[in-house]
Amino acid sequence: MDDNAIIDLYFARDQQAVQATAQAYGAYCASIAQRILDDRGAAEECVNDAWLKCWQSIPPQRPRSLKSFAGRIVRNLALSALRADAAQKRGGGQVRLALEELGEVVSGSDTPEGALDRQAFRAALDGFLAGLPERNRNLFLRRYWYLDSVEQLARRFGMSRTQVTTTLHRLRQRLRVHLEQEGFEV
């Protein structure tokens, strides 16, 4: 079943929509949650919560890509669960490291002014990513969206760990310059 047919089921409030979404994108969403949480049980719970969020969000939203929509929900839920767990444990880990790296360039501001700038920031980030060569764009996204480890990236892209960390450092510096040129304080 394609995305439009599944979304039509959501709009018809047919509970088959959740099953169809899980069948089509369950493995994809589970891999996102597992990578972030590194706990199979927590990842399964996160994915199940994502199906509920999809049910609650569609309608009124009509996503262009159900895969991206569900993936974003799972990622956000997993990151929230990770933050809650970290607040209790104050532990480290791969996800925290990746987010700290990116936090050197981008700060998470939840002020009203920050909320107003969010759309402009997305456009600036999209422009930055569009200007990168495909390999660098994929490397950046795999690290900071999919939260792959440096080792995973080295294997995936046929690079050494040093090459990966150096490339990511340079990309973060380029992002900093790009955001400053776009008028953002970093």
Side-chain angles (χ1 to χ4, degrees):
M1 187 177 295
D2 72 350
D3 281 7
N4 287 328
I6 296 171
I7 291 169
D8 288 342
L9 289 174
Y10 278 105
F11 273 84
R13 303 315 286 163
D14 186 333
Q15 292 186 4
Q16 292 293 331
V18 174
Q19 292 172 342
T21 305
Q23 184 176 9
Y25 302 116
Y28 170 73
C29 290
S31 71
I32 292 171
Q34 178 64 35
R35 188 173 294 121
I36 294 170
L37 297 170
D38 197 29
D39 177 338
R40 186 177 177 91
E44 287 175 12
E45 184 177 332
C46 181
V47 171
N48 288 332
D49 290 347
W51 302 149
L52 176 62
K53 273 272 211 219
C54 284
W55 181 259
Q56 293 169 336
S57 301
I58 308 171
Q61 295 183 54
R62 186 171 193 91
R64 283 181 277 178
S65 168
L66 186 58
K67 180 179 182 180
S68 297
F69 185 79
R72 186 182 75 230
I73 289 172
V74 166
R75 182 178 187 275
N76 291 340
L77 289 171
L79 288 171
S80 293
L82 183 71
R83 277 191 287 274
D85 188 50
Q88 291 175 355
K89 293 182 182 176
R90 291 291 172 224
Q94 194 58 236
V95 174
R96 181 165 305 287
L97 180 61
L99 295 177
E100 285 174 5
E101 288 172 6
L102 198 54
E104 295 171 4
V105 178
V106 180
S107 64
S109 171
D110 283 341
T111 65
E113 295 82 13
L116 294 174
D117 286 339
R118 206 169 286 133
Q119 188 171 10
F121 177 80
R122 282 188 196 129
L125 183 59
D126 286 345
F128 170 75
L129 292 171
L132 293 177
E134 184 178 356
R135 182 178 181 178
N136 285 352
R137 181 175 51 248
N138 289 334
L139 187 68
F140 188 91
L141 289 172
R142 294 298 314 179
R143 178 65 173 159
Y144 301 116
W145 176 257
Y146 293 102
L147 302 168
D148 286 355
S149 70
V150 171
E151 291 79 14
Q152 289 170 319
L153 294 171
R155 282 192 306 273
R156 177 183 287 266
F157 292 97
M159 301 167 72
S160 70
R161 286 183 35 100
T162 303
Q163 288 174 310
V164 170
T165 56
T166 301
T167 302
L168 289 170
H169 176 75
R170 290 178 180 157
L171 288 172
R172 289 191 309 272
Q173 296 305 340
R174 285 179 61 186
L175 175 59
R176 178 187 305 273
V177 169
H178 179 78
L179 291 175
E180 286 172 350
Q181 290 172 345
E182 293 289 323
F184 291 94
E185 288 185 32
V186 289

